[in-house]
Amino acid sequence: MNRKRASFVAAGTAALLAAGAVAVAATSANADGSVTASFSTNSWGTGQTATYTITNGTANPITSWTVEFDLPAGTALGSYWDALMTQSGSHVVARNREYNGSVAAGAKTSFGFNTTGSGAPTNCTVNGAPCGGGSTPPTTAPPTTTPPTTTPPTTAPPTTPPPPPPGGGGGKVVGYFTEWGVYGRNYHVKNIETSGSASKLNVINYAFGNVTNGQCAIGDSYADYDKFYDAASSVDGVSDTWDAGALRGSFGQLRRLKKMHPGLKVVWSFGGWTWSNGFGQAAANPAAFADSCYKLVEDPRWADVFDGIDIDWEYPNACGLSCDTSGPAAFKNLMAALRSRFGANSLVTAAITADGSNGGKIDAADYAGAAQYVNWYNPMTYDYFGAWAAQGPTAPHSPLYSYPGIPTAGFYADAAIQKLISKGVPRNKLLLGIGFYGRGWTGVTQSTPGGTATGPAPGTYEQGIEDYKVLKNRCPATGTVAGTAYAKCGSEWWSYDTPATIGGKMGYVKSQGLGGAFFWELSGDTANGELIAAMR
């Protein structure tokens, strides 16, 4: 099957910060000569998104921090980001991540979290001292500023905050639609509309076009532009025709979907795990490759369907299904040629490796140099681990952070994101990747990660992989690790993202100033678009 090998919420932190939220001022001021932590919140009455900002007011750097506080009755910790957080009863402990423990003299860092209930924390300490400065921890003193308790605001906040408009700054949501999904999966463009997903998407990546003989080529002509949709199966309720020159197939359906959602963009993605072999030849003559792609994407039969091109080369100057030896400059040269041919007004994007290990795939190509030519990158922050290691150890396939016992150092999303940023890729050109599926093993006895297995768990279409819409009922999540979820049911062990863990990942997107998030792929979601709703 021509699929990406392994192509990131409570209902989206961006949504929690939408219009209608009520701000609460910071509860403590900085004290000279102290490490302090100030609290602020955006509340909508029944919940809040909260932030603690840690300020090093001393003359020396600190290498770690721990913030502790108590939540009032009726307030419970939800998703969180940029800290390791635990809750015991009402008491919460937040410790720095590996990347934000060091705070220079006079500098600041922060972490955030969601709660159900909007009560403000009390009894806050940072590194054992009062959050407001000083040396004696408080006993029961409340914060100096609290939300109003007796006088409601003039305009009551909404019970459920509205989502931000699609395309809001830093809030891009990009989803893949697979051309082969119209067969066994029975997933069509109409499903994007009936699930409610179309209104939540900024961009659809149509996967995949082929790369062969140094050129872009059609992947499946029948699915792409010939398959007939009658009125019942068509996205707009109007039947296709057999008239000469009529555009049918998924291309025709996407044209109609765009008319229903004028702000929606569609990008044609080329390559993928199976069809990346052809990029080596393409890289030998980037200008000729770019010209072939432009002529195909802008073919008069469907030019109005597509708004640009996405390149999914797995992997430049490294090994995927096969090994590429084009050299470290090949990817940059290819993207430069595509931008030159497609021009400034078309989208040019790329799905790229998320290998954050030292000397790994990110180090093999000039992703920073090529960044100037792309609108954004989709680092594939999933499929880090799976049942291709048939005996285990079991491990989450899309960890946001590292965790004790992770099988491979650097195989987690934050490592890849931070590495790309450190090389010079702009934050707003990075979209976090989320899988709408799980990976699993069978023959497992240990409920937590790190157990042994006997092989891949059974899946509907392929061993060791299953859609979220199936797993949420067949093997519900039993725990979380490193910002994602896992599940043990019988002898099977699975890892996958849930709406709650997507909430945490979207919080990470916001806190890191990333451009948004993307996912693989639409047919893995529930019929009512549960996961994409969490992203938005």
Side-chain angles (χ1 to χ4, degrees), residues 64-85:
S64 64
W65 48 262
T66 300
V67 175
E68 300 188 45
F69 54 85
D70 295 319
L71 290 174
T75 302
L77 181 67
S79 57
Y80 52 87
W81 49 95
D82 295 328
L84 292 168
M85 300 186 70

Side-chain angles (χ1 to χ4, degrees), residues 301-324:
R301 291 173 290 177
W302 50 70
D304 60 321
V305 174
F306 296 107
D307 299 282
I309 187 171
D310 176 71
I311 295 298
D312 186 352
W313 183 353
E314 302 183 24
Y315 299 94
N317 203 38
C319 294
L321 185 62
S322 62
C323 291
D324 176 72

Side-chain angles (χ1 to χ4, degrees), residues 338-360:
L338 287 166
R339 172 56 72 194
S340 176
R341 187 65 181 91
F342 276 80
N345 295 325
S346 293
L347 292 174
V348 176
T349 69
I352 64 172
T353 177
D355 175 1
S357 64
N358 291 331

Side-chain angles (χ1 to χ4, degrees), residues 401-439:
Y401 296 113
S402 186
Y403 64 94
I406 191 168
T408 306
F411 272 34
Y412 57 96
D414 183 60
I417 296 296
Q418 299 305 325
K419 187 163 195 170
L420 288 163
I421 292 170
S422 72
K423 286 180 175 290
V425 179
R427 291 174 182 268
N428 64 359
K429 286 193 174 185
L430 293 173
L431 274 57
L432 189 71
I434 297 177
F436 279 13
Y437 61 93
R439 289 196 174 273

Side-chain angles (χ1 to χ4, degrees), residues 260-361:
M260 297 164 67
H261 299 273
L264 181 64
K265 305 293 186 183
V266 178
V267 169
W268 197 345
S269 185
F270 288 83
W273 181 253
T274 304
W275 283 344
S276 282
N277 290 358
F279 280 115
Q281 185 177 353
N285 191 340
F289 171 72
D291 187 59
S292 75
C293 298
Y294 182 83
K295 289 175 179 175
L296 181 59
V297 173
E298 295 297 325
D299 186 298
R301 291 173 290 177
W302 50 70
D304 60 321
V305 174
F306 296 107
D307 299 282
I309 187 171
D310 176 71
I311 295 298
D312 186 352
W313 183 353
E314 302 183 24
Y315 299 94
N317 203 38
C319 294
L321 185 62
S322 62
C323 291
D324 176 72
T325 56
S326 298
F331 180 74
K332 176 183 176 181
N333 294 340
L334 197 77
M335 301 313 294
L338 287 166
R339 172 56 72 194
S340 176
R341 187 65 181 91
F342 276 80
N345 295 325
S346 293
L347 292 174
V348 176
T349 69
I352 64 172
T353 177
D355 175 1
S357 64
N358 291 331
K361 293 182 176 66

